[in-house]
């Protein structure tokens, strides 16, 4: 993805609120299905990862897992927030 597009998406992401929270159950099939619906509707989605979701995994691993499972592009990981785009 070209830099300008990436910067634009990061800028757009700063204006939206997280749509989903990932809790103690972590990344589940149900969560992936819901995330796919949100990506289809909005293209750019922000997801908050709660502390309880980590269970020995780091945030980057969880973000990569989400991107792979939803066939989307990981745009940004900031704090506990992950931004995905499809």
């Amino acid at each position: 993805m070209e830099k300008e597009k990436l910067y634009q998406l990061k800028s757009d992401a700063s204006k939206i609120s997280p749509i989903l929270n990932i809790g103690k159950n972590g990344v589940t099939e149900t969560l992936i299905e819901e995330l796919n619906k949100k990506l289809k509707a909005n293209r750019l989605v922000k997801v908050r990862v709660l502390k309880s979701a980590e269970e020995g995994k780091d945030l980057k691993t969880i973000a990569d897992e989400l991107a792979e499972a939803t066939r989307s592009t990981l745009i940004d990981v900031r704090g506990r927030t992950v931004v995905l785009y499809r």
Side-chain angles (χ1 to χ4, degrees), residues 27 32 35-36 39 60-74 82 84-86:
V27 180
I32 296 301
L35 190 53
N36 271 321
L39 279 163
K60 181 76 172 110
T61 308
I62 293 171
D64 289 337
E65 212 174 293
L66 288 173
E68 194 176 312
T70 58
R71 294 180 315 284
S72 58
T73 307
L74 178 62
V82 176
L84 297 169
Y85 174 77
R86 185 186 322 145

Side-chain angles (χ1 to χ4, degrees), residues 36-48:
N36 271 321
K37 285 180 196 167
K38 302 289 186 192
L39 279 163
K40 197 170 188 178
N42 304 327
R43 297 185 60 92
L44 188 66
V45 172
K46 204 183 256 189
V47 180
R48 177 165 294 131

